[in-house]
Amino acid sequence: MSTHPNVTVIDRMTTAVFENDRDTLADLFTQDMELHVRGPLPSAGDYTGVDGFLSALGTVFELTDGDVKIEQLFCIADDRWGTEWEHAVFGRQGRTLEAKNAFVYQFDGGRIGEMWMICAAPAGSESFWE
Amino acid sequence: MTSPSGPSGTRSSRTKLSSVGEGIDRGRDAFNRQAWRRAYEQLSSAARDEPLEVDDLERLASAAYLAGRSEDSCEVWARAHEECARVGEVARAARCAFWLAFALLNNGELARGGGWVDRAQRLLDKRKLKCVEQGYLRYAAALRSVFSGDVEVARAGFNHAAKVGERFRDPEISALARIGEGRCLVYLGEVAKGVALLDEAMVAVGAGEVSPIATGDAYCTVIEGCQETFDVRRAFEWTAALSQWCDSQPELVLYRGQCLLHRAELMLLRGAWTDAVDEVERACSRLADAVSHPVLGAVSYLRGELHRLRGELSEAEHSYRTANDAGRDPQPGLALLRLAQGRVDAAEAAIHRVRDEAEDPITRARILGPYVEIALAADDLAGARAAADDLATIGAELDQPLLRAISLQVTGAVLLAEDDPHAALVSLRRSWGVWRELEAPYEAARSRVLIALACRALGDEDGAEMELDAARAVFSELGAAPDVVRADSFSRLSDRRVPGPLSARELEVLTLVAKGNKNREIADQLVISEKTVASHLSHILTKLGLPSRTAATAYAFKQGLVS
């Protein structure tokens, strides 16, 4: 079975995040793209556009001083929807936090129009970010 | 009840374990003190008795590399990589593979190095892992591209690596990648942008934010970049910083050879030729047991240059061959050697070939000075003019004093050959002024010889002789025997010439005798035996019809060989 083009869009978006590649993200998002972050993360909230998206993720990189490792466990998509499950490891001030993150993507003409990120970190993990 | 061997066997094992543990502790301690050889010895000895943890394998591999044991280092990085991969630490396995590839690529082993980059990349891709190691591997892939000559692809790769480094706030990969990108931009003609990137990256290096391996590599890469752009001021600055860094780690071998090489190159420019010879010899001895072919080639080339300038033509030939064997193109030095040997056709063929191969302006700029000199000797005035104009265009773009001085000098030489001494004099005097500002006595004296010829063409014989005298004194002081002979050949005052057929080497020995050196000291300076010095001196006395060493000294002063 060949990979759906929207899976490639998600993979390209992930790579662009890690390369801080604003131009590629602008290509992959609709202009009014919305991001909703939920769960015990310091950046939980709602964001719009490339700037909002990068500021949400930037907070995580800032607080961990870049000590972030993300492993994609699976990713599937069709023309309208996509979903991704990843294992994340964060390091901060000598401590390590492992979490599973779920993503849901809504596509609009091959671009990401809306996405949800739900962090499923263990109970009490809020203190990691304080 | 235990068997007789039991307790003693247990005690022995315990003692051995304790001794291994102490060895590891001593190795770690040496590593922290940057005593690389001792760290390597302690940790490799401990590793023979008990498998090391990955942390210690990484220390051992780094220490081995810095102590000049590149092959051992690669073997340990491979072991650390396998251990990390075995326990599922994929990112760390990729990092170990990176350092292994880094060593191999920098040693010119592109296939082996590239293989490790691909292997590590596959590991990360298979796990769909996003981590800072992606940036390290991007950097290594770009390094492979640059060594393969694909500068445009390399630039893009370094840029990606730098972005990953910034995202992950990793100063090491950010600095290395920015330096790589800066060098590529210089090659691609965007010199100012490239140099700005180099300066920016070196802030992190100077602040001690990167590992010793990356620090040494950064210094050497930036110094090479400065030399490529003829930026003497920056080259001096960074060479001084590299020297200080090397001196703070007496057991450092890896970058010591490069450091001595860079110092020698600057000494050559500043006219400290004897010191430059010493530095080259020290660099060679440093490299003898830690062969790094690219550096060995560069050191041998520089040694060839020093021999050529001093008129030791067969020694120069040998050094250029050694440089070539080590992978360093022996040009343009070899072409100039052929010119000095009177083989103008061979010199011309070689320099044409080299110029045709030099595609980018930076590489061409290094060739065009010698090209003009050889073209003029071959009566190819049109070729000399075209090369001088090309150099002037590149010089205007780079705007560096060193390149400006070379350009003005060769333009002056061409104008002289074109029978325009007025214009030649203007260009040559400006060239001489810049050489003086750069404190480059040999090149300044070469400009003065040309100024003398321009004065003579304008009928000013006194001016010509004074310029020749001044140039000759500098050449004598430096031991530039062929230039002394050349300056004499232009002089119309026959009594200023050194009578008798003294060879270049004999002239050099006579100069050193006159400066008060004993035979032992002369032997050390010229890297020949004391017996050979005595033999040269005997020939000098015979040829000049002089009775003693004292008479030879008086003669040398009278002839202006020493001031």
Side-chain angles (χ1 to χ4, degrees), chain B residues 250-262:
Chain B
E251 294 184 10
L252 181 75
V253 170
L254 182 66
Y255 298 111
R256 184 85 58 182
Q258 281 103 316
C259 180
L260 294 169
L261 167 69
H262 297 316

Side-chain angles (χ1 to χ4, degrees), chain A residues 16-110:
Chain A
V17 167
F18 286 95
E19 292 184 359
N20 217 5
D21 185 350
R22 184 178 286 271
D23 294 342
T24 299
L25 289 173
D27 279 348
L28 298 173
F29 292 161
T30 60
Q31 210 147 22
D32 55 352
M33 190 280 288
E34 285 182 31
L35 165 68
H36 313 285
V37 180
R38 299 292 183 267
L41 278 173
S43 52
D46 299 305
Y47 304 86
T48 307
V50 174
D51 288 342
F53 177 85
L54 285 174
S55 84
L57 296 181
T59 305
V60 172
F61 278 93
E62 199 173 315
L63 289 172
T64 57
D65 202 17
D67 191 352
V68 177
K69 286 188 185 70
I70 301 289
E71 183 182 0
Q72 188 189 70
L73 301 176
F74 76 78
C75 180
I76 51 171
D78 63 14
D79 289 349
R80 184 69 177 150
W81 295 96
T83 184
E84 186 187 16
W85 185 238
E86 70 178 25
H87 175 224
V89 182
F90 304 108
R92 185 164 188 245
Q93 295 164 348
R95 290 180 299 158
T96 301
L97 172 65
E98 293 199 37
K100 293 279 167 49
N101 296 326
F103 294 83
V104 176
Y105 302 89
Q106 189 179 53
F107 292 95
D108 182 358

Side-chain angles (χ1 to χ4, degrees), chain B residues 399-414:
Chain B
D399 193 28
Q400 288 296 340
L402 179 60
L403 192 52
R404 200 180 317 134
I406 298 171
S407 176
L408 288 165
Q409 186 168 297
V410 299
T411 299
V414 171

Side-chain angles (χ1 to χ4, degrees), chain A residues 11 14-15 17-20 54 57-58 61-62 65-66 68-72, chain B residues 91-92 127-133 138 160 163-170:
Chain A
D11 286 344
T14 310
T15 301
V17 167
F18 286 95
E19 292 184 359
N20 217 5
L54 285 174
L57 296 181
F61 278 93
E62 199 173 315
D65 202 17
V68 177
K69 286 188 185 70
I70 301 289
E71 183 182 0
Q72 188 189 70
Chain B
R92 200 170 185 185
R127 286 275 292 269
K128 295 215 161 192
L129 197 63
K130 298 295 178 192
C131 48
V132 71
E133 282 74 15
R138 285 260 191 176
H160 276 294
K163 282 180 176 169
V164 174
E166 277 159 26
R167 167 55 95 192
F168 284 92
R169 295 161 172 257
D170 185 308

Side-chain angles (χ1 to χ4, degrees), chain B residues 40 60-78 99-109 112 213 253-254 289-294:
Chain B
Y40 164 76
L60 174 56
S62 295
Y65 191 57
L66 292 160
R69 296 177 171 274
S70 184
E71 272 304 316
D72 291 346
S73 167
C74 289
E75 190 264 319
V76 180
W77 280 123
W99 285 116
L100 172 46
F102 179 86
L104 293 170
L105 292 170
N106 277 306
N107 203 34
E109 296 182 60
R112 270 177 84 196
I213 293 177
V253 170
L254 182 66
D289 59 349
V291 178
S292 165
H293 284 287

Side-chain angles (χ1 to χ4, degrees), chain B residues 89-245:
Chain B
E89 284 193 54
V90 174
R92 200 170 185 185
R95 181 80 71 113
C96 294
F98 163 79
W99 285 116
L100 172 46
F102 179 86
L104 293 170
L105 292 170
N106 277 306
N107 203 34
E109 296 182 60
L110 301 193
R112 270 177 84 196
W116 278 99
V117 177
D118 294 341
R119 180 174 178 168
Q121 190 63 61
R122 260 200 310 280
L123 262 183
L124 295 185
D125 290 348
K126 196 174 161 195
R127 286 275 292 269
K128 295 215 161 192
L129 197 63
K130 298 295 178 192
C131 48
V132 71
E133 282 74 15
Q134 292 278 10
Y136 279 84
L137 295 182
R138 285 260 191 176
Y139 172 86
L143 208 54
R144 177 168 44 169
S145 297
V146 85
F147 288 138
S148 305
D150 199 341
V151 181
E152 192 64 76
V153 169
R155 193 207 66 79
F158 285 130
N159 183 269
H160 276 294
K163 282 180 176 169
V164 174
E166 277 159 26
R167 167 55 95 192
F168 284 92
R169 295 161 172 257
D170 185 308
E172 181 138 292
I173 196 59
S174 299
L176 286 175
R178 287 288 177 224
I179 289 168
E181 191 182 359
R183 282 287 296 276
C184 288
L185 285 170
V186 166
Y187 274 120
L188 293 168
E190 294 185 54
V191 177
K193 210 169 152 190
V195 170
L197 268 185
L198 296 180
D199 283 349
E200 182 193 329
M202 289 308 285
V203 173
V205 175
E209 291 173 10
V210 306
S211 69
I213 293 177
T215 298
D217 183 75
Y219 276 130
C220 291
T221 309
V222 166
I223 292 166
E224 283 163 22
C226 294
Q227 288 169 339
E228 278 161 5
T229 54
F230 297 85
D231 190 340
V232 180
R233 185 187 59 77
R234 273 196 177 81
F236 265 103
E237 211 173 290
W238 291 122
T239 301
L242 172 62
S243 297
Q244 202 176 1
W245 182 75

Side-chain angles (χ1 to χ4, degrees), chain B residues 187-467:
Chain B
Y187 274 120
L188 293 168
E190 294 185 54
V191 177
K193 210 169 152 190
V195 170
L197 268 185
L198 296 180
D199 283 349
E200 182 193 329
M202 289 308 285
V203 173
V205 175
E209 291 173 10
V210 306
S211 69
I213 293 177
T215 298
D217 183 75
Y219 276 130
C220 291
T221 309
V222 166
I223 292 166
E224 283 163 22
C226 294
Q227 288 169 339
E228 278 161 5
T229 54
F230 297 85
D231 190 340
V232 180
R233 185 187 59 77
R234 273 196 177 81
F236 265 103
E237 211 173 290
W238 291 122
T239 301
L242 172 62
S243 297
Q244 202 176 1
W245 182 75
C246 286
D247 290 346
S248 70
Q249 304 160 76
E251 294 184 10
L252 181 75
V253 170
L254 182 66
Y255 298 111
R256 184 85 58 182
Q258 281 103 316
C259 180
L260 294 169
L261 167 69
H262 297 316
R263 283 163 55 97
E265 285 163 340
L266 295 172
M267 286 169 179
L268 179 65
L269 177 72
R270 289 273 164 97
W273 287 11
T274 306
D275 292 341
V277 170
D278 290 347
E279 292 295 83
V280 166
E281 297 308 325
R282 282 174 62 200
C284 284
S285 69
R286 282 282 177 176
L287 293 169
D289 59 349
V291 178
S292 165
H293 284 287
V295 182
L296 188 63
V299 171
S300 300
Y301 181 81
L302 185 63
R303 182 149 49 176
E305 290 290 86
L306 281 159
H307 282 309
R308 179 176 62 78
L309 292 172
R310 293 157 72 123
E312 298 147 6
L313 304 189
S314 57
E315 291 95 331
E317 176 104 29
H318 176 73
S319 294
Y320 289 135
R321 277 185 192 283
T322 309
N324 189 61
D325 290 346
R328 165 65 158 92
D329 186 347
Q331 302 293 357
L334 185 59
L336 291 171
L337 175 65
R338 293 287 174 260
L339 186 66
Q341 289 167 332
R343 296 170 57 188
V344 179
D345 288 349
E348 204 180 11
I351 204 73
H352 278 185
R353 192 268 299 163
V354 175
R355 191 211 47 189
D356 292 346
E357 277 184 29
E359 289 172 4
D360 62 281
I362 297 290
T363 311
R364 221 162 56 242
R366 308 202 78 79
I367 303 300
L368 290 171
Y371 185 96
V372 171
E373 191 176 342
I374 293 167
L376 289 175
D379 288 329
D380 174 14
L381 193 49
R385 164 51 69 190
D389 289 348
D390 191 10
L391 190 57
T393 307
I394 300 170
E397 214 155 281
L398 286 182
D399 193 28
Q400 288 296 340
L402 179 60
L403 192 52
R404 200 180 317 134
I406 298 171
S407 176
L408 288 165
Q409 186 168 297
V410 299
T411 299
V414 171
L415 285 165
L416 258 180
E418 288 171 342
D419 214 13
D420 187 353
H422 278 290
L425 202 51
V426 172
S427 190
L428 291 166
R429 286 214 191 276
R430 285 176 60 203
S431 161
W432 177 63
V434 183
W435 285 126
R436 271 170 54 104
E437 278 169 27
L438 289 169
E439 298 174 55
Y442 174 72
E443 292 296 346
R446 278 170 58 92
S447 281
R448 293 193 94 163
V449 171
L450 292 168
I451 288 170
L453 299 182
C455 288
R456 175 168 296 155
L458 293 167
D460 178 10
E461 197 57 46
D462 278 350
E465 285 300 334
M466 284 175 78
E467 291 295 342

